[in-house]
């Protein structure tokens, strides 16, 4: 079954404790992306990747890192989480830039 | 940077009534996509429009892309309770970023 898998689905952490949210897709998609969704602000792009070893900043990259060492995986790293990073995060992938994206189920993060 | 505005923010309709959401971009788009997100769920891709003036239909849903490729609309005919959710437009410009509108939350009274 074609899918985008995010882990964990829920995470509560404390300020400053490094964390990684994993994202994996099984569709051999080139384009992958991370979004955060906040009430009243819609979906905002954090980082995206056009292909392996190619990543670029989206609208709100501050405080986040990503890597794309393999085509299927695109982890999101928060080196030193802060409370303003409490949000619902979605990973997405698409065959190429510009085509419709498949979203993961989401990761709800709370930073205390 | 590119901005994509969507109106209305919320819409309550009686089941059977029609519904329309509008999307406006500050810049010319190369294409526009529409997504639906059910309460508690994740966005699901509905359709992509590429050509100026393009109109596409999916059963009761009609999607339009403006002649100037800066605006789009989604119209649902005779809403059903299964249409409940938030509808997002998302625009691709000449760069590689996808910018989402704020979404329109549709509520349908049975």
């Amino acid at each position: 079954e074609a899918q985008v898998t995010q882990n964990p689905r829920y995470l509560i952490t404390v300020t400053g404790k490094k964390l990684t949210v994993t994202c994996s897709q099984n569709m051999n998609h080139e384009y992958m992306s991370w979004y955060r969704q906040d009430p009243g602000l819609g979906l905002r792009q954090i980082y995206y990747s056009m292909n392996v070893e190619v990543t670029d900043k989206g609208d709100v990259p501050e405080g986040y890192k990503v890597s794309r060492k393999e085509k299927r995986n695109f982890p999101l790293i928060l080196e030193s989480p802060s409370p303003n990073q409490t949000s619902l995060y979605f990973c997405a992938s698409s065959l190429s830039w510009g085509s419709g994206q498949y979203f993961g189920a989401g990761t709800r993060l709370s930073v205390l | 940077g590119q901005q994509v505005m969507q109106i209305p923010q919320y819409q309550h309709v009686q089941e059977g009534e029609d519904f329309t959401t509008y999307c406006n971009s500050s810049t010319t788009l190369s294409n526009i996509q529409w997504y639906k997100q059910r309460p508690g769920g994740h966005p699901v891709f509905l359709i992509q429009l590429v050509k100026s003036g393009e109109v596409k239909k999916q059963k009761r849903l009609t999607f339009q892309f403006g002649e100037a490729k800066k605006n789009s609309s989604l119209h649902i005919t005779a809403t059903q309770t299964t249409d409940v959710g938030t509808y997002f437009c998302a625009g691709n410009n000449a760069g590689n970023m996808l910018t989402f509108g704020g979404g329109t939350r549709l509520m349908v009274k049975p």
Side-chain angles (χ1 to χ4, degrees), chain B residues 50-55 65-69:
Chain B
V50 179
K51 298 176 188 172
S52 167
E54 190 169 13
V55 178
F65 200 9
E67 293 289 341
K69 299 183 77 173

Side-chain angles (χ1 to χ4, degrees), chain A residues 2 4 25-32 49-51 68 71-72 92-96 100-102:
Chain A
V4 178
Q25 50 93 4
N26 63 359
M27 296 168 279
N28 202 35
H29 283 173
E30 288 188 350
Y31 186 92
M32 295 187 75
S49 170
M50 300 284 281
N51 213 325
R68 187 96 182 271
K71 201 169 189 178
R72 62 182 294 129
S93 73
S94 61
L95 193 60
S96 60
Q101 296 187 50
Y102 289 77

Side-chain angles (χ1 to χ4, degrees), chain A residues 31 37 59 97-99 101 104, chain B residues 33 35 37 48 95 97-98:
Chain A
Y31 186 92
Q37 186 172 34
D59 280 324
W97 170 80
S99 37
Q101 296 187 50
Chain B
Q33 300 171 4
Y35 293 81
Q37 185 177 22
Q48 178 172 276
M97 277 175 38
L98 185 65

Side-chain angles (χ1 to χ4, degrees), chain A residues 28-97:
Chain A
N28 202 35
H29 283 173
E30 288 188 350
Y31 186 92
M32 295 187 75
S33 185
W34 276 102
Y35 299 88
R36 61 178 289 174
Q37 186 172 34
D38 302 289
L41 295 175
L43 286 149
R44 293 179 293 168
Q45 195 171 38
I46 302 170
Y47 269 93
Y48 62 91
S49 170
M50 300 284 281
N51 213 325
V52 176
E53 301 292 0
V54 181
T55 64
D56 214 339
K57 296 177 181 179
D59 280 324
V60 288
E62 293 78 21
Y64 304 95
K65 282 174 58 176
V66 293
S67 68
R68 187 96 182 271
K69 294 187 172 61
E70 309 163 277
K71 201 169 189 178
R72 62 182 294 129
N73 296 322
F74 191 44
L76 178 70
I77 303 152
L78 285 72
E79 294 270 3
S80 182
S82 61
N84 64 11
Q85 292 178 298
T86 292
S87 187
L88 177 58
Y89 291 87
F90 288 103
C91 178
S93 73
S94 61
L95 193 60
S96 60
W97 170 80

Side-chain angles (χ1 to χ4, degrees), chain B residues 2-62:
Chain B
Q2 176 182 276
Q3 288 189 322
V4 177
M5 308 298 292
Q6 207 173 333
I7 56 168
Q9 224 177 336
Y10 305 94
Q11 182 92 56
H12 290 259
V13 299
Q14 196 72 42
E15 189 172 22
E17 290 181 340
D18 291 357
F19 159 78
T20 305
T21 172
Y22 300 91
C23 185
N24 290 288
S25 170
S26 58
T27 60
T28 302
L29 300 170
S30 55
N31 66 62
I32 194 155
Q33 300 171 4
W34 285 92
Y35 293 81
K36 177 184 178 182
Q37 185 177 22
R38 292 183 189 275
H42 58 276
V44 174
F45 174 68
L46 295 176
I47 207 160
Q48 178 172 276
L49 305 170
V50 179
K51 298 176 188 172
S52 167
E54 190 169 13
V55 178
K56 286 188 176 179
K57 291 194 174 189
Q58 287 181 351
K59 296 182 182 177
R60 295 177 295 104
L61 276 61
T62 302

